[in-house]
Amino acid sequence: MSKTMLYGLAKCSTCIKARDWLDTHGVAHTFVDYRDEPVPAATLKAWAGKVGGWEKLVNRTSMTWRALPEERRAASTDAQWTKLIAEYPALVRRPVTVTGDGEVTVGFSEKRYGERFA
């Protein structure tokens, strides 16, 4: 399997936990801070498709989401979602984990990582 890619924000506590877990368990990975290296719209769309839609990719319980005007939270097209994420990268649920086999997941839990990287 190719190297695992972890996308998130460098100072995000959940991303830090995920990176520490991968390091502790010897899982080779590369971390990409998507504030520094924005994710292309086509990649975001592909991730949304693999995790079950934009509603699963975007953290709709975050303070960033709740602070958005109602009309911005009414995004319904791929173009609207990708524009919103380009403007507010913190909206993406963190971390996004992409393994060499193309599997994409969002979030971190020791149990899920244990099952995924066993």
Side-chain angles (χ1 to χ4, degrees):
M1 175 168 51
S2 300
K3 187 180 265 191
T4 296
M5 298 294 295
L6 198 67
Y7 296 85
L9 302 175
K11 296 186 187 243
C12 168
S13 62
T14 306
C15 292
I16 292 168
K17 288 177 191 174
R19 293 168 73 186
D20 288 346
W21 191 96
L22 292 170
D23 286 340
T24 300
H25 291 85
V27 178
H29 65 281
T30 298
F31 179 77
V32 176
D33 185 318
Y34 47 67
R35 273 201 180 122
D36 297 336
E37 298 178 47
V39 177
T43 302
L44 291 169
K45 182 179 175 185
W47 288 352
K50 290 190 178 224
V51 300
W54 292 106
E55 292 78 13
K56 300 280 186 187
L57 183 63
V58 172
N59 182 356
R60 296 167 50 150
T61 62
S62 71
M63 292 300 293
T64 303
W65 176 262
R66 289 184 274 174
L68 291 173
E70 186 61 37
E71 63 273 6
R72 297 299 304 272
R73 287 186 274 154
S76 60
T77 67
D78 293 336
Q80 289 172 330
W81 281 111
T82 55
K83 182 178 178 185
L84 190 62
I85 292 169
E87 194 173 337
Y88 302 99
L91 285 174
V92 175
R93 194 176 307 264
R94 300 178 297 269
V96 176
T97 308
V98 181
T99 48
D101 59 4
E103 186 178 347
V104 178
T105 57
V106 293
F108 168 75
S109 81
E110 288 192 26
K111 179 182 180 199
R112 282 196 353 241
Y113 267 43
E115 292 165 354
R116 186 166 183 190
F117 296 104

